[in-house]
RNA sequence: GGGCGAUUAGCUCAGCUGGUCAGAGCGCUUCGUUUACACCGAAGAUGCCACAGGUUCGAAUCCUGUAUCGCCCACCA
């Protein structure tokens, strides 16, 4: 008989148990014990790549949630006999990290520009190294059974090689191109950002209705009068009877001291009913106007610079911030009696995700990925697409979801995904940042900058060009470019490694729904294009962990909860269980310490179930006979847990939990186990067994002991993915066998 | 402007393909010091499952509409 402590003390055992797992090597699938009982099909790989946390700080409760889900799936599959591989890694997160370190330096009075590129990047690397170590320890603390021998970093040498090969391949296919157009400029971060990094915010604004001059026939409305010095046209709807007579006419005027030339054009995009039904076209400072200007061959006049200051006008305008210039122009309009109306309206303003600055649309030369350009598939393993087919990247991204080659859980996000794809424009991938993957393009300059010369030579390859006078493009790549490669760059691509052949496509990816576009869609793009294959078979999107009042965790609210403090207080298993319990896929979940407390109690219940059984069961005396007669309570447990398969083929709990795990319904599986262990097994069956255990009927005693023991074994296995530490600890008291982590999953 | 989600016990939330689905955690009431567990046990209270229609033998669960809240996307100058 073995005596357990009266209650489970997580803090005493967790570190040792994690070390045991590490020592076993079982996190590496190649080290898993052979399972001769299984077919090759049953032993096929099961792969998850960890969504790499940004090396910008600590992991928060959302990470703990995400990691727990993945660890549950991986442990479940490992026990089923799959070659379960979960690859760890971190993300350099270019823009997020750069702006964070820049802010830290500013606190010490140091500016990025003072340090220069090399020194600044060194500072960033110091910061990320510390952050990396913290993150790795947190992952271990949560019990993550990651294969640490395969750890990757989005900015390490291997991944950098992958990035260059990916870029070069797309460049050669004409899918990466350099284009001069109006982009989203972040005046604070001093970089271009992609459409997806623009966050729209509703703000109060004034809509001004005015004329350029007394002689101009059409009034126009704008919220940004300061940009009007860059207007080159006025657009009206071709079907608008009010203005038809003016279409095609041109006017020269002086607007607030700046000479402008306005042509009146007709464009379907203009809404007759909005404002005055006429639109002042500013090709250099509005993406829409830029596109319109291209349709009509309009000239482009840049009047605002990278610092959001005016580039034209007299003393009253030039070098003024746009917000100041706006007032100057409004005042001028009033003086000239050109302002017809001022209205208060709600306006959606684009701001930069990282810096919060108001986006200033500017014309610039940048690198783009063409999502609508057809190309020939070099190779395809995608059902419905053949090698050699003409496709676009957008079509590839649509196809694999439409055809369910990739499943999304919960399915409603398919609609969100298509909605995004349909509105997708070319992806701007260059950034004016220092920390990140340098663009593998070199110029032999005969001009000053990349915005200038037209006769320069361009060279793109994975290694620098030979010869004199070459200079590399100063820009770095959007961080999502490298994370788009993550499912296969972690497996050794661009080399055709055995890892790549074995573990790709991966089985599932587990991100939050908020990065469906940023990351998941980009992985699909990169994988289908570069490998001709899907990156993963299933996408499980989890929700956001909020505080106990349903608010997002944020620094300004100071409502953050450190996962490590919670694990210290209640144990890691209790936290894991609390995070998963009741958290349906794709739904936000409120974090409540009370819930963790409840799950700690559940852990204690399990512990005492084990304690009771260990005290009352003589392991040598365990076994059932054909002649055994069972009480209804016995039969219930035998059937429920599928313990006596020769006589009962039902295994309700095992079947339900297994199916729920296979269908990503972790919350259901957790709830089933909770209720079954506590309310059926502990409350009813253990109580039922007590008289027999204390009685004289040896046969009945043996039956009860056997059922108790085998039930405990089954519960430990079923609960292990959720509560790995405690179940492993009990297992070690119960048996001399190998670790629970590699025990076969109960037969369903 | 388009799309999505939520509305179930005091609080936070489950309830998957319609019929033991009216549930869980925490909280609350009463009783209980039996050798697994007071991090417990027994018993119990609290819900016209947002509202109004409809389909059905039967709906929290499907359909339609309404209301409130939240989220995402978007080129209304």
């Amino acid at each position: 008989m073995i005596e357990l402590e009266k209650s489970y003390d997580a803090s005493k055992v967790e570190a040792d148990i994690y070390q045991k797992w590490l020592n076993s090597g079982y996190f590496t699938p190649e080290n898993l014990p052979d399972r001769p009982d299984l077919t090759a099909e049953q032993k096929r790989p099961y792969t998850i790549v960890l969504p790499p946390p940004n090396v910008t700080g600590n992991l928060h409760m959302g990470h703990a949630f995400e990691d727990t889900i993945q660890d549950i799936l991986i442990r479940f599959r490992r026990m089923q006999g799959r070659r379960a591989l979960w690859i760890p890694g971190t993300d350099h997160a270019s823009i997020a990290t750069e702006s964070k370190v820049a802010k830290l330096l500013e606190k010490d009075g140091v500016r990025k520009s003072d340090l220069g590129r090399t020194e600044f990047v060194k500072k960033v690397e110091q910061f990320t190294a510390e952050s990396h170590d913290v993150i790795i320890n947190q992952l271990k603390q949560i019990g993550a059974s990651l294969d640490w021998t395969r750890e990757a970093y989005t900015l390490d040498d291997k991944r950098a090689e992958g990035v260059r090969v990916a870029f070069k391949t797309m460049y050669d296919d004409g899918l990466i191109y350099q284009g001069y157009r109006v982009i989203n400029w972040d005046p604070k971060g001093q970089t271009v950002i992609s459409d997806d990094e623009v966050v729209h915010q509703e703000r109060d604004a004034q809509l001004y209705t005015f004329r350029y001059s007394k002689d101009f026939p059409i009034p126009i409305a704008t919220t940004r009068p300061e940009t009007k010095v860059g207007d080159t046209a006025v657009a009206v709807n071709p079907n608008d009877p009010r203005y038809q007579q003016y279409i095609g006419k041109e006017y020269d005027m002086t607007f607030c001291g700046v000479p402008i030339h306005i042509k009146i054009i007709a464009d379907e995009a203009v809404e007759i009913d909005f404002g005055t039904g006429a639109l002042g076209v500013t090709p250099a400072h509005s993406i829409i106007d830029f596109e319109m200007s291209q349709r009509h061959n309009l000239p482009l006049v840049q009047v605002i610079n990278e610092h959001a200051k005016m580039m034209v006008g007299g003393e009253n305008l030039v070098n003024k911030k746009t917000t100041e210039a706006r007032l100057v122009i409004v005042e001028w309009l009033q003086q000239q009696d050109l302002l017809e109306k001022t209205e208060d309206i709600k306006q959606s303003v684009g701001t930069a995700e990282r810096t919060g600055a108001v986006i200033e649309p500017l014309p610039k030369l940048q690198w783009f990925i063409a999502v609508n350009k057809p190309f020939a598939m070099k190779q395809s393993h995608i059902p419905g697409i053949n090698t050699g087919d003409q496709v676009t990247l957008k079509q590839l991204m649509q196809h694999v979801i439409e055809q369910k080659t990739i499943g999304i859980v919960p399915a409603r996000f398919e609609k969100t995904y298509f909605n995004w794809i349909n509105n997708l424009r070319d992806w701007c991938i260059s950034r004016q940042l220092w920390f990140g993957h340098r663009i593998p393009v070199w110029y032999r300059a005969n001009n000053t900058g990349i915005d200038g010369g037209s006769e320069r030579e361009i060279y793109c390859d994975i290694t620098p060009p030979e010869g004199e006078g070459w200079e590399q493009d100063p820009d770095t790549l959007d961080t999502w470019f490298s994370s788009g490669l993550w499912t296969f760059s972690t497996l050794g691509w661009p080399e055709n490694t055995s890892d790549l052949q074995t573990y790709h496509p991966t089985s599932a990816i587990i991100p939050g729904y908020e990065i469906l576009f940023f990351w998941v869609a980009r992985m699909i793009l990169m994988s289908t294009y570069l490998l001709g294959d899907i990156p993963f078979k299933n996408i499980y999107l989890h929700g956001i962990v909020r505080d106990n009042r349903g608010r997002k965790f944020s620094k300004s609210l100071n409502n953050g909860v450190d996962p490590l403090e919670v694990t210290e207080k209640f144990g890691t298993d209790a936290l894991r269980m609390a995070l998963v319990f009741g958290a349906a896929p794709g739904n936000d979940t409120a974090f409540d310490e009370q819930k963790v407390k409840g799950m700690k109690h559940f852990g204690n219940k399990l512990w005492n179930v084990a304690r009771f059984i260990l005290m009352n069961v003589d392991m040598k005396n365990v076994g059932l006979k054909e002649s055994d007669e069972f009480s209804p309570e016995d039969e219930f447990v035998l059937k429920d847990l599928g313990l006596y398969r020769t006589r009962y083929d039902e295994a309700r709990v095992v079947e339900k939990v297994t199916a729920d795990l296979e269908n990503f319904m972790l919350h259901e599986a957790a709830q089933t186990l909770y209720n079954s262990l506590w309310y059926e097994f502990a409350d009813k069956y253990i109580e039922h067994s007590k008289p027999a255990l204390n009685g004289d009927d040896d046969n009945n005693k043996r039956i009860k002991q056997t059922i108790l023991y085998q039930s405990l074994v089954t519960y430990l296995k079923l609960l292990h993915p959720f509560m790995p530490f405690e179940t492993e600890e009990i297992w070690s008291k119960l048996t001399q066998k190998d670790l629970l982590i590699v025990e076969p999953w109960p037969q369903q």
Side-chain angles (χ1 to χ4, degrees), chain A residues 202-466:
Chain A
E202 185 147 289
R203 294 190 182 178
D204 293 319
Q206 273 80 47
L207 182 67
Y208 304 96
T209 304
F210 72 99
R211 288 171 201 260
Y212 296 108
S213 74
K214 282 273 191 298
D215 307 329
F216 196 75
I218 306 173
I220 59 167
T222 184
T223 54
R224 297 199 60 190
E226 76 278 12
T227 64
K228 299 290 106 183
V229 293
D231 281 12
T232 57
V234 164
V236 299
N237 191 292
N239 301 316
D240 192 335
R242 290 173 294 178
Y243 305 130
Q244 269 172 354
Q245 52 178 313
Y246 303 116
I247 294 169
K249 294 196 172 161
E250 302 191 29
Y251 299 81
D252 280 299
M253 294 162 287
T254 303
F255 186 76
C256 198
V258 179
I260 56 172
H261 180 88
I262 300 288
K263 182 179 179 184
I264 297 178
I265 60 169
D267 197 291
E268 299 276 354
V270 180
E271 284 184 38
I272 296 175
D273 299 332
F274 187 84
T276 61
L279 167 65
V281 183
T282 323
H285 299 289
S286 154
I287 292 175
I288 304 314
D289 292 7
F290 177 77
E291 287 172 359
M292 199 179 287
S293 77
Q294 295 215 307
R295 289 198 288 272
H296 298 275
N297 266 321
L298 298 171
L300 176 147
V301 181
Q302 184 173 352
V303 296
I304 296 166
N305 66 16
E306 282 88 344
H307 301 284
K309 289 183 176 166
M310 303 304 292
M311 297 165 68
V312 295
E315 290 283 314
N316 57 341
L317 274 186
V318 76
N319 281 333
K320 286 249 165 67
K321 283 189 196 164
T322 50
T323 44
E324 295 165 0
R326 185 173 308 164
L327 301 177
V328 172
I329 293 195
V330 170
E331 200 183 354
W332 179 82
L333 286 169
Q334 280 169 335
Q335 284 167 0
Q336 302 295 313
D337 198 23
L338 292 170
L339 188 61
E340 297 188 354
K341 204 168 29 166
T342 305
E343 298 163 79
D344 291 323
I345 60 162
K346 293 278 182 194
Q347 191 195 16
S348 174
V349 179
T351 62
E353 186 196 19
R354 287 294 157 191
T355 64
V358 173
I359 294 300
E360 192 58 65
L362 290 179
K364 273 196 165 289
L365 187 67
Q366 298 293 334
W367 290 97
F368 296 87
I369 290 182
V371 294
N372 289 310
K373 185 175 176 185
F375 64 95
M377 279 296 272
K378 292 190 189 73
Q379 52 169 334
S380 177
H381 312 285
I382 303 165
I385 290 179
N386 299 316
T387 304
D389 280 1
Q390 287 283 320
V391 291
T392 66
L393 293 172
K394 190 184 267 193
Q395 285 166 348
L396 284 176
M397 286 191 276
Q398 278 166 331
H399 178 87
V400 291
I401 300 294
E402 248 163 29
Q403 299 300 312
K404 312 272 183 198
T405 315
I406 298 175
I408 301 185
V409 179
R412 66 181 132 92
F413 281 101
E414 285 174 13
K415 218 166 180 176
T416 316
Y417 178 86
F418 289 128
N419 191 33
W420 178 79
I421 299 269
N422 291 338
N423 294 318
L424 187 61
R425 298 159 186 250
D426 284 359
W427 172 17
C428 180
I429 53 169
S430 46
R431 297 288 183 276
Q432 289 66 55
L433 297 169
W434 286 344
F435 182 59
H437 290 282
R438 195 83 175 257
I439 288 176
V441 169
W442 287 259
Y443 309 100
R444 184 116 70 174
N446 54 12
N447 219 317
T448 45
I450 60 166
D451 286 23
S454 54
E455 288 171 33
R456 66 200 171 136
E457 290 174 76
I458 296 185
Y459 180 92
C460 171
D461 208 337
I462 55 174
T463 52
E466 307 275 327

Side-chain angles (χ1 to χ4, degrees), chain A residues 425-607:
Chain A
R425 298 159 186 250
D426 284 359
W427 172 17
C428 180
I429 53 169
S430 46
R431 297 288 183 276
Q432 289 66 55
L433 297 169
W434 286 344
F435 182 59
H437 290 282
R438 195 83 175 257
I439 288 176
V441 169
W442 287 259
Y443 309 100
R444 184 116 70 174
N446 54 12
N447 219 317
T448 45
I450 60 166
D451 286 23
S454 54
E455 288 171 33
R456 66 200 171 136
E457 290 174 76
I458 296 185
Y459 180 92
C460 171
D461 208 337
I462 55 174
T463 52
E466 307 275 327
E468 293 292 306
W470 289 102
E471 221 168 293
Q472 188 169 7
D473 193 305
D475 290 351
T476 51
L477 285 166
D478 181 4
T479 189
W480 300 103
F481 188 97
S482 55
S483 33
L485 312 174
W486 191 238
T487 62
F488 48 96
S489 68
T490 49
L491 292 168
W493 189 86
E495 272 175 79
N496 190 18
T497 58
S498 75
D499 263 13
L500 188 61
Q501 292 167 30
T502 308
Y503 296 107
H504 205 272
T506 65
S507 307
I509 193 88
I510 326 290
Y513 61 74
E514 75 275 11
I515 54 172
L516 178 62
F517 310 137
F518 279 123
W519 190 42
V520 179
R522 266 66 181 267
M523 285 192 286
I524 295 174
L525 182 157
M526 290 295 188
S527 181
T528 51
Y529 168 71
L530 290 164
L531 302 184
D533 209 346
I534 54 172
F536 30 69
K537 297 185 185 98
N538 283 292
I539 304 163
Y540 174 104
L541 296 168
H542 67 252
I544 296 167
V545 181
R546 299 170 176 276
D547 74 2
N548 60 2
R549 288 159 58 185
R551 302 173 307 182
K552 241 177 163 168
F553 287 122
S554 77
K555 281 192 190 112
S556 51
L557 284 173
N558 195 27
N559 59 350
V561 183
D562 181 358
L564 289 191
E565 282 176 24
V566 177
T567 55
E568 273 165 34
K569 194 163 167 193
F570 300 103
T572 299
D573 290 338
L575 173 61
R576 291 170 59 115
M577 196 68 178
L579 285 169
V580 164
F581 202 92
N587 284 6
D588 291 353
T589 155
F591 177 82
D592 189 347
E593 205 177 90
Q594 291 305 310
K595 197 167 162 189
V596 187
K597 183 175 150 198
M599 293 305 150
K600 186 190 175 211
H601 293 178
F602 176 67
N604 196 55
K605 178 53 83 171
L606 170 65
W607 183 261

Side-chain angles (χ1 to χ4, degrees), chain A residues 573 576-577 599 602-603 606 719-727:
Chain A
D573 290 338
R576 291 170 59 115
M577 196 68 178
M599 293 305 150
F602 176 67
L606 170 65
L719 280 165
H720 180 257
F722 299 89
M723 311 175 73
F725 289 104
E726 185 182 336
T727 50

